[in-house]
Amino acid sequence: MPVSTTADGRKVWQRRTTGRQWAIWAGWFAFVVLLVWCWELMTRTTIWAFVYDAPRQISDLGNRMFPPRWSYIDRLIWPLWDTINIASLGTLLGIFIAVPIAFCAARNTTPSLYILRPIALFIIVASRSINSLIWALLLVSIIGPGLLAGIIAIGLRSIGFIGKLLYEAIEEIDESQVEAVRATGANGMQVLDYGIVPQVLPAFFGITVFRWDINIRESTILGLVGAGGIGLQLQSSLNTLAWPQVSLILLLILGTVLVSEWVSAKVRHAVI
Amino acid sequence: MLRLDTLAKRYKTGDHALKGVSFTVEKGQVVGLIGPSGAGKSTLIRCINRLVEPTGGSIYLNDVDLAGLSGGELRRARRRIGMIFQEYALVERLTVMENVLSGRLGYVPFWRSLLRRFRQADVDKAFALLDRVGLSEHADKRADELSGGQRQRVGIARALEQDPELLLVDEPTASLDPKTSRQIMRLIMEICRESGLPAVINIHDVMLAKMFVDRIIGLTAGEVVFDGAPALLDDAVLTRIYGEEDWTAMQASAAEDAADAAATYGAAPPERVKEERMAGLA
């Protein structure tokens, strides 16, 4: 009890009991011990000469990267366009598969709680547990290198993300609105259309645009494993140590991400 | 005509919400359902249109037992039962017009409702109802832009758009101020009178119930403990429904409230009163 009585009969309140307070201090102590131990473990294999050298290496690399090789840009425009298309089409593919899965996964809309819902949840977890790059790696070996592998990889990874956030949004809707629509004698599809969809639409747009924004970033590296886009150029530039080209590519990616960030912020602002 | 016959509801948790409720509502009669919180008023209303599944008894609406219906038959029965909700339960992100037209969902095929291509007759009716409840200028607004009283009027219009044979009203005034509460109750009563529409109104405000309805049913712990004219609702009956309380003092303070409301709002200039009357509010 954090409330105790002093000798003169006055009641004293503390946030925690003394025992509990000591337990919390002990917890902090254990955390610090763990931290020190981890640091020790980490630095055991570090070659400090390389670390001390870091500032010189950075300036060296910076010097080699600067100035960017601007003339290389005409070889990058199409790969960049491909990258954006991979992200957009992949997001679209993800939406088409994720929306029905989300409705199956949401407790309040699922047609079968004990069969379909666990399956839908499993698909969502499976999709989320594998990184886009790994999906791309698998798909390149299945359907060969190129844009298609990239699009499908992005799409498969997006299913989990969109599906999870959307089904959570569906579960959070106001049931009284749904009840009111059902009370008019509406059938299942009409209840969906009038009672549920209007409530989850803002969340849906927010999630979709956010995922598209992430996908732009992810699709820039898919080329590393042969799944098309600007990553292909990045890889070949890195392999040939063409640092001015690398810096140009990185600048271009930064610019693209900034633009996609701006677009998604605008869209989210417009729908909510 | 609505007839309930030993209607019972037992929740999975074991709560016996309704223990064999029976009564009959004649055409054009407005019944006020009063009782303490947890007496089963909301459950009773929701059992009638089967938003809650009753576990026993029957519900006859014009000699059809609603308790036995399912699927399409149930939806066809529901579309003739209008319902008005406590927190309005409008679809907040749809427009006022879409909300009113959603009262036709039980009548139109899915593609029409999806594309919002309702029949002109339905749209005409919706405009007439919005006019009736005094919201004709607000048809294009989104429901969440309206005030509480306006939202409840949209709720009323939606229920009437269903062309109902019976009106179920669940605590229509619980979220409204005293003046708006009276306006809303008056509006519901006028509409029921105009078309001889029977209604069951859940209401926790006893004074408001006595003021408006034709007949009062008192529900306590899932059982009917009073059924009669509002005039018969004396202190002894109130004690039977709600338990011991100083009812005389409470009624006196309620009367004061009403007088205050009249003093505050009653002094409005004649034009405004006239406008409100035209809009069906006063």
Side-chain angles (χ1 to χ4, degrees):
Chain A
M1 256 299 263
V3 178
S4 50
T5 315
T6 56
D8 56 349
R10 184 183 267 181
K11 278 190 171 177
V12 180
W13 179 84
Q14 288 163 301
R15 187 176 172 200
R16 300 189 180 98
T17 58
T18 317
R20 197 183 174 81
Q21 191 62 54
W22 276 108
I24 289 169
W25 283 121
W28 278 109
F29 181 71
F31 178 67
V32 171
V33 168
L34 185 74
L35 216 61
V36 170
W37 182 68
C38 288
W39 176 259
E40 209 266 332
L41 200 71
M42 183 182 74
T43 52
R44 199 179 294 160
T45 54
T46 306
I47 301 167
W48 287 103
F50 286 167
V51 178
Y52 297 139
D53 202 22
R56 209 166 55 80
Q57 295 296 339
I58 291 173
S59 71
D60 185 42
L61 193 63
N63 280 336
R64 283 191 229 187
M65 280 181 142
F66 189 82
R69 198 182 138 208
W70 298 108
S71 60
Y72 189 51
I73 192 115
D74 55 342
R75 304 255 315 266
L76 293 180
I77 290 302
W78 280 113
L80 184 65
W81 177 240
D82 284 347
T83 301
I84 294 171
N85 281 337
I86 290 174
S88 306
L89 293 174
T91 311
L92 216 58
L93 177 72
I95 292 170
F96 273 114
I97 304 174
V99 168
I101 289 179
F103 277 98
C104 288
R107 197 174 282 279
N108 49 350
T109 54
T110 184
S112 96
L113 196 56
Y114 296 107
I115 302 165
L116 228 47
R117 181 163 190 266
I119 294 174
L121 288 176
F122 177 75
I123 294 173
I124 288 172
V125 172
S127 152
R128 272 154 42 84
S129 64
I130 302 174
N131 189 285
S132 309
L133 204 62
I134 312 292
W135 276 121
L137 208 61
L138 294 173
L139 285 159
V140 165
S141 64
I142 295 169
I143 56 176
L147 293 181
L148 187 63
I151 292 170
I152 298 177
I154 290 288
L156 288 179
R157 176 63 183 80
S158 302
I159 293 170
F161 184 91
I162 298 174
K164 180 175 169 64
L165 293 179
L166 189 60
Y167 101 73
E168 284 174 352
I170 295 170
E171 285 187 345
E172 279 167 19
I173 60 170
D174 173 11
E175 282 294 334
S176 72
Q177 299 180 30
V178 180
E179 190 184 41
V181 175
R182 189 173 293 125
T184 64
N187 65 30
M189 290 304 287
Q190 289 171 325
V191 172
L192 199 70
D193 181 20
Y194 278 73
I196 298 169
V197 168
Q199 292 194 61
V200 296
L201 217 51
F204 171 75
F205 278 114
I207 294 163
T208 305
V209 176
F210 185 30
R211 187 63 221 183
W212 175 74
D213 188 38
I214 296 171
N215 283 346
I216 295 257
R217 270 170 273 161
E218 295 212 331
S219 58
T220 55
I221 55 161
L222 289 184
L224 292 178
V225 296
I230 203 166
L232 218 59
Q233 269 66 24
L234 183 62
Q235 194 193 23
S236 62
S237 299
L238 281 170
N239 285 347
T240 56
L241 303 178
W243 297 111
Q245 296 183 15
V246 172
S247 61
L248 180 67
I249 292 170
L250 293 183
L251 276 177
L252 212 57
I253 291 174
L254 179 68
T256 313
V257 170
L258 280 178
V259 171
S260 77
E261 188 85 43
W262 180 79
V263 170
S264 62
K266 283 279 161 201
V267 172
R268 250 177 291 172
H269 187 73
V271 293
I272 294 168
Chain B
M1 190 193 79
L2 173 74
R3 183 159 63 85
L4 303 186
D5 187 15
T6 59
L7 188 68
K9 171 66 187 176
R10 179 176 224 142
Y11 284 104
K12 281 194 188 117
T13 53
D15 289 340
H16 225 147
L18 296 175
K19 302 169 189 163
V21 173
S22 305
F23 60 80
T24 304
V25 181
E26 298 298 337
K27 188 168 161 53
Q29 192 177 50
V30 178
V31 176
L33 206 56
I34 64 170
S37 305
K41 304 188 299 272
S42 217
T43 303
L44 174 56
I45 276 218
R46 281 172 169 71
C47 275
I48 295 175
N49 64 357
R50 298 266 307 276
L51 289 176
V52 168
E53 283 301 322
T55 45
S58 354
I59 309 143
Y60 291 99
L61 182 63
N62 300 332
D63 300 322
V64 178
D65 184 6
L66 303 184
L69 302 182
S70 63
E73 282 179 332
L74 175 61
R75 290 199 298 273
R76 275 190 290 283
R78 266 185 192 152
R79 70 185 187 185
R80 302 304 304 273
I81 304 174
M83 186 153 177
I84 297 167
F85 295 83
Q86 173 177 356
E87 299 276 357
Y88 330 122
L90 300 182
V91 183
E92 298 282 322
R93 295 182 55 86
L94 295 183
T95 62
V96 167
M97 195 61 182
E98 282 174 297
N99 269 292
V100 177
L101 283 170
S102 71
R104 297 309 288 176
L105 287 179
Y107 295 89
V108 301
F110 175 63
W111 69 268
R112 269 190 186 278
S113 59
L114 180 70
L115 303 174
R116 310 299 197 254
R117 304 272 300 179
F118 288 88
R119 288 191 181 81
Q120 190 55 41
D122 295 347
V123 179
D124 289 344
K125 188 175 170 65
F127 274 121
L129 284 169
L130 281 175
D131 202 32
R132 175 70 185 81
V133 299
L135 290 176
S136 34
E137 302 100 84
H138 299 289
D140 248 350
K141 277 196 186 157
R142 241 169 62 169
D144 54 8
E145 290 174 56
L146 302 182
S147 70
Q150 289 173 326
R151 288 187 203 198
Q152 194 55 294
R153 289 191 187 116
V154 177
I156 294 171
R158 170 174 65 188
L160 295 176
E161 177 80 11
Q162 285 177 241
D163 231 345
E165 296 173 301
L166 170 69
L167 212 51
L168 302 175
V169 191
D170 188 19
E171 299 280 7
T173 62
S175 319
L176 301 172
D177 66 67
K179 184 197 176 196
T180 316
S181 294
R182 284 174 173 77
Q183 290 177 338
I184 290 290
M185 279 304 290
R186 199 170 294 136
L187 180 60
I188 292 174
M189 291 306 297
E190 281 174 11
I191 284 164
C192 289
R193 293 274 177 275
E194 280 163 21
S195 40
L197 192 61
V200 180
I201 304 183
N202 254 349
I203 190 158
H204 73 280
D205 186 335
V206 178
M207 298 311 132
L208 213 55
K210 280 178 89 167
M211 205 183 299
F212 286 104
V213 303
D214 306 328
R215 171 183 166 197
I216 286 181
I217 292 177
L219 207 62
T220 302
E223 280 171 305
V224 175
V225 293
F226 172 80
D227 186 350
L232 300 176
L233 200 66
D234 55 20
D235 290 2
V237 174
L238 283 174
T239 303
R240 185 140 47 95
I241 299 171
Y242 289 98
E244 203 65 56
E245 183 58 62
D246 189 351
W247 299 107
T248 323
M250 191 185 257
Q251 289 184 18
S253 84
E256 261 170 45
D257 276 359
D260 278 355
T264 315
Y265 303 112
E271 303 91 69
R272 220 188 102 209
V273 173
K274 203 174 133 206
E275 267 171 35
E276 283 189 354
R277 199 178 300 276
M278 280 166 70
L281 311 178

